[in-house]
Amino acid sequence: MQFTDHNLYEHFKNKGHEVVGFNSKDSVDTIIEKSKGCDLFINNAYDDSLQLQLLHKLLHHTKKMIVCGSVAGDHIDENDIPYSLHKKALQEQFVKTSPPLFPKTLIQDPN
């Protein structure tokens, strides 16, 4: 399993899973190279368009991917417009590309 969130990393590590974590010092290319072929990639770390890049570049190279979005993608947060726009783009791309690849895709909408 590959992770971009420390709490999730610790949770699955403590359950005995083989886990690889990434941080802001890791380049996109490093994350992609180390994640190809993994059983599960949790795409949770926000850094401008990083989640969207990882979705595009790993979509066909992991068995499963969890993509963590935000309600900010549905309702623009006036205090952080760039964050909202990135989350909206991520959501739109995920909805467009996921169902054909992952027929059991679950898209949760808190509204």
Side-chain angles (χ1 to χ4, degrees), residues 24-43:
S24 59
K25 294 177 184 173
D26 294 306
S27 71
V28 173
D29 290 337
T30 298
I31 294 170
I32 292 164
E33 195 55 43
K34 288 185 176 182
S35 299
K36 285 183 177 178
C38 70
D39 293 324
L40 174 65
F41 183 85
I42 298 180
N43 189 352

Side-chain angles (χ1 to χ4, degrees), residues 56-103:
H56 282 294
K57 294 181 179 182
L58 286 173
L59 192 61
H60 299 283
H61 301 288
T62 61
K63 292 177 184 170
K64 293 181 183 177
M65 183 186 300
I66 295 173
V67 180
C68 300
S70 171
V71 295
D74 294 321
H75 308 285
I76 300 296
D77 179 353
E78 296 297 327
N79 296 317
D80 197 351
I81 293 173
Y83 175 80
S84 293
L85 294 176
H86 285 125
K87 289 295 187 171
K88 183 174 182 65
L90 177 67
Q91 177 180 320
E92 289 171 351
Q93 190 61 41
F94 181 80
V95 169
K96 185 182 349 178
T97 59
S98 296
L101 295 171
F102 306 108

